Amino acid sequence: MEELQTWLAEARVPGFEAKSQHPLLERHLRWLDHPAHHFLRIGSPGYPPLLANLPDAPTGLLVRGDPDVLRLPQLAIVGSRNPTQSGHDIARQFAAQLTRSGLVITSGLAIGIDAAAHRGALEGGGRTVAVCGTGLDIEYPRANAGLAEEIASGGALVSEFPLGTPASKSNFPRRNRIISGLSLGTLVVEAAVRSGSLITARLAGEQGREVFAIPGSIRNPLARGCHKLIRDGAQLVETPDDIFSELGPLAAALRHAAPVSAKTAESTAVLAPALDKGYEILLDALGFEPASVDVLIARTGLKADEVASMLLILELEARIDACPGGLYVRRLS
C-alpha cells in the first residue's frame, strides 16, 4: 500500500493527500482486489524491462489483464484514426502474421489503425497490449469497449494514469512514449504528416528502437507521413518478414532476459536465430573498460546501426552494462 500511496502522490492528482484513509487510495485498493488487476512499481521484478530503461519511465503502471505480457517482445503498430480500407487491412494482416511469429502487438486502442492492429493480433491467436491515455476504469473510446474486454482477457490494458483520469489531449503524447518504450520497434501504417503516430515514431527513434514504415501511393495523403519517416531513415517495409528479420534476434534476447510464466511463454514462442560470432567479436572489442559506440565501431569495423542493435541484445542478455555518458562495459561474469 505504501508504494501505491507514493505513486498517487507523485501523480499529483488534485486534492490527493498521502493518507491511508484517502478515498482515492481506497478506490485503487478496491480496484486491485480483482485478480486481473495489478499495480507495477518501477524497480519491481514484474515491471517491463525495456520500459524501465527509459529516462522518463513511468514510476508506476496499472494493468488489467496479464502483467507478464508486458515483459514479452513487442512490436508497436500505429497509424491514422481514419485509414483507407487498404491501410486497415494491412495493419490487421501484419499484426496477425507477426503475432504468429511470437511478437506481442502493442498499440493505443484508438479507432482506426490501432484497433485494426489489436484485432489482427487476436485473430492471429496471439497477445496484444493496449496502452491507454485515461484511467483504466474509463471506457475510451467507447466504440472500442468490446475490443478492450477481449484484449484484457488474453493480453493487457495498461496505463500510467490513476483511476478516474479522463481523456485529455495532453495525455496522449505521454501514452505514446509508453507504446514505443514497451516495444522493440514501431511500425507506422498510414499517417498524415502531422499525425500523432509520427510522434510515436520519433519517440521510438529517440529511445533507440527500430522504426518501420509502409509506403503508399503518392496520391494518398495518409502515405505522406510514412514517406517522411522513410526519408528520415525509417526502414521501408513491404512484408511482415521485413520486420521479423530485424527483430527476431532482439525478441529472443528479451525473452531469455525476462522469463515469464510457462503459459505466457508458450502462447508467444519465438523462433529466432542464436547469437553468432559477430557478438563475440564485439564483446572482445569492448573488454572490461567502458567504451562508447564510436570506439566500438572503430575497433570492429561494424556499422553504427549494427553495433547499436548488438549492444541492445548483449545488454538484454546481461552480458554488458550501460554506463553514464553513453558508454558500455562488459560484465565480469
Side-chain angles (χ1 to χ4, degrees):
M1 185 175 73
E2 184 176 342
E3 288 190 337
L4 186 63
Q5 282 181 287
T6 302
W7 174 67
L8 289 170
E10 292 168 346
R12 299 180 181 178
V13 179
F16 177 75
E17 298 176 4
K19 296 179 180 179
S20 59
Q21 300 301 313
H22 193 280
L24 183 60
L25 176 61
E26 293 179 352
R27 178 179 181 179
H28 281 76
L29 291 173
R30 288 194 300 272
W31 187 84
L32 289 168
D33 279 340
H34 192 287
H37 294 173
H38 310 272
F39 173 66
L40 302 179
R41 181 69 168 168
I42 192 168
S44 68
Y47 194 93
L50 283 183
L51 191 62
N53 286 338
L54 303 186
D56 59 349
T59 58
L61 297 170
L62 292 178
V63 181
R64 181 183 168 205
D66 181 359
D68 275 351
V69 177
L70 301 181
R71 300 162 63 201
L72 291 170
Q74 298 169 52
L75 171 74
I77 299 181
V78 296
S80 172
R81 285 176 167 78
N82 297 288
T84 65
Q85 186 61 50
S86 175
H88 179 278
D89 293 345
I90 287 171
R92 200 161 181 162
Q93 291 163 8
F94 267 61
Q97 186 164 334
L98 286 164
T99 199
R100 292 187 191 108
S101 298
L103 289 171
V104 173
I105 302 302
T106 298
S107 198
L109 197 59
I111 59 174
I113 294 298
D114 287 19
H118 291 307
R119 286 283 182 202
L122 294 170
E123 290 168 358
R127 303 291 191 95
T128 184
V129 170
V131 183
C132 302
T134 66
L136 291 186
D137 57 338
I138 292 178
E139 292 183 351
Y140 184 87
R142 289 189 180 275
N144 285 340
L147 176 59
E149 292 293 328
E150 292 183 55
I151 293 170
S153 67
L157 303 171
V158 59
S159 177
E160 69 171 321
F161 299 106
L163 299 177
T165 302
S168 169
K169 188 175 181 180
S170 62
N171 290 357
F172 293 96
R174 291 178 60 186
R175 175 205 64 176
N176 291 352
R177 88 186 193 287
I178 299 177
I179 293 174
S180 58
L182 284 168
S183 306
L184 294 168
T186 293
L187 170 66
V188 182
V189 182
E190 288 197 337
V193 173
R194 297 186 179 276
S195 169
S197 302
L198 268 61
I199 296 176
T200 309
R202 174 178 58 78
L203 291 168
E206 292 174 354
Q207 293 163 353
R209 312 296 163 79
E210 299 288 346
V211 179
F212 306 94
I214 293 179
S217 168
I218 59 173
R219 294 183 175 85
N220 180 5
L222 294 179
R224 291 173 186 164
C226 292
H227 293 168
K228 181 180 186 302
L229 289 174
I230 293 167
R231 285 195 299 271
D232 292 344
Q235 297 190 50
L236 185 153
V237 168
E238 294 178 315
T239 71
D241 286 343
D242 293 337
I243 295 172
F244 194 71
S245 64
E246 291 290 330
L247 298 188
L250 295 173
L254 179 58
R255 181 178 300 282
H256 177 73
V260 294
S261 67
K263 180 180 178 181
T264 298
E266 182 181 357
S267 70
T268 52
V270 174
L271 298 176
L275 300 184
D276 59 28
K277 188 168 181 173
Y279 293 86
E280 296 179 10
I281 294 172
L282 185 60
L283 279 174
D284 290 341
L286 179 57
F288 297 97
E289 294 292 334
S292 67
V293 172
D294 288 340
V295 168
L296 293 172
I297 292 170
R299 289 177 180 174
T300 63
L302 296 169
K303 296 179 181 178
D305 58 345
E306 293 175 325
V307 170
S309 176
M310 293 166 74
L311 286 172
L312 175 58
I313 289 177
L314 292 171
E315 186 178 358
L316 290 170
E317 289 279 357
R319 303 288 295 275
I320 66 173
D321 288 316
C323 305
L327 303 179
Y328 294 86
V329 64
R330 187 171 179 173
R331 287 195 175 186
L332 293 175
S333 59

